[in-house]
Structures are given as C-alpha cells and as structure tokens.
Amino acid sequence: MPEFPRCRLASWEDADRWSARLAERIREVDRVPEVIVGLTRGGWVPARLLADHLGVKRLLPVTAQHWGLTATRSGSAEITEDLHGSIDGATVLLVDDITDTGESLELATQHVAARHPARVESAAFLHIGHSKFVPTYYAEEIPRGSWVWVIFPWNYWEDVRQLVARAYEETRDVDAVRQRLLERCGLDLPREHVARTMPAPVAALASTASAGRDGP
Ligand code: AMP
C-alpha cells in the first residue's frame, strides 16, 4: 500500500445515509436480526447505528485485526477478541464499515457461525469490488480499481495523525505538510487540524525550556 494513499473523507451524513439504506434493505427482505455483532473497531459505530435503525437491543462486539497503521496491512486477519454472550439459535447480523480484502468479515462470519446461531448474515457500509468476501448487504460499492482509503468520522483523528506524521518526516512546516497531503492523498484538511496533529517539535520544546530560564 502506498505510504500516502488516495483518501476519501466520509462524513456523519454519509454514515447516516448508509445505515438508513442498509436498514431499509434488511426490512424489505424481512431479515431484521435478533442480535447485531459489531466487528470492532471499524464496524462498532456502524453496528450501533444499524441497531438503532432496526430497533435491535442485543449488540455484541467481536474484534478482528488486519490493518495496523492507516492504509498499512499487518499480515493476515485474525480474531483478537472472541465473541462473548450466547447467540445459540439466534438470527445474527455481523456489521463492518468496509470490506476491502474481505478477510476480516469472512473470518468473523466463520467465528460467529461456529457458535450455533440460527442464521448469520453480514452488512458493510462500503464494499470494494475486489474483496474476496461479499457481504449479504452493503450500501455502496467502490469499483474494483478505484481503491481509496476511506477516512470514517470515527477514525478521523487517528488517520490524520498518522498521515501528518508521514509528511512531517519530509517537512516540519504546517503549510507544507498540508500541501503534501492535498497533492498526494487528495486530502484538503483544515490548517488547524494539521497543526493540532503535528508531532511535538523537539526544537520548540527545547526553546520553551530555555525561554523559561531566560525569563525575568
Ligand atoms: P479487510 O479485512 O481488508 O476487509 O478490512 C478490515 C478493516 O480494515 C475494515 O473493516 C476497515 O476498518 C479497515 N479498512 C480496510 N480497508 C480500508 C479502506 N480502504 N478504507 C478505510 N478503512 C479500511
């Protein structure tokens, strides 16, 4: 994956639209589940939104890890926190934010299916066409070949901090960092957000300390 991936900023309005669309589809086919399992961390907020739309009270987490730093894959997906709570004989919907390789959702589906539910289906806000696993429901497809790193509102500061840190290795000027992220990632960030996420400049800390010593 590129160090500076092309990025797409998703808004809370997008998330609201995607969850409403998924809920509508699930209701249309009369498949409202008894339990929603959120694939954390990315699928946790989508799972909560969908539980709200569908009026589902049982919401459980399961954790899969696959991607480490922003747009950087760390080996193959693994379940790092098991599902707790019985789903024996229940209808279950597993929810994630996006299927990219599809490994996380595929693995989580197997993990959940092994706990004897009556049915397991899956849903993702976004589905990338090249994913090897196709969720039962998705709100929007990103065509194969149009890969982007989607910055979801629940991951905004983490993603921005990491991208800013990468640009910071080349320049320590806020405006230059901002310009680089615009050119390389297509990301037009508010100057204040770049400034806020710049790693603490060692030089500035040193000068503060010496200013203290020189003070009245
Ligand atoms: P995957 O197993 O590759 O389908 O993706 C696992 C998780 O990594 C997803 O649920 C997201 O939280 C995150 N992720 C993977 N690809 C992207 C992407 N292109 N944009 C934003 N988040 C991503």
Side-chain angles (χ1 to χ4, degrees), residues 42 66-67 77 96-105 128 147-150 152:
H66 190 190
W67 296 75
D96 206 355
D97 49 4
I98 183 168
T99 43
D100 189 332
T101 65
E103 279 184 35
S104 305
L105 204 49
I128 305 189
W147 185 90
V148 281
W149 184 261
V150 181
F152 293 103

Side-chain angles (χ1 to χ4, degrees), residues 19-38:
S19 48
R21 194 176 295 169
L22 284 177
E24 195 183 306
R25 290 201 184 141
I26 291 165
R27 280 192 192 286
E28 264 169 21
V29 291
D30 201 16
R31 305 283 265 191
V32 175
E34 290 161 325
V35 183
I36 287 185
V37 175

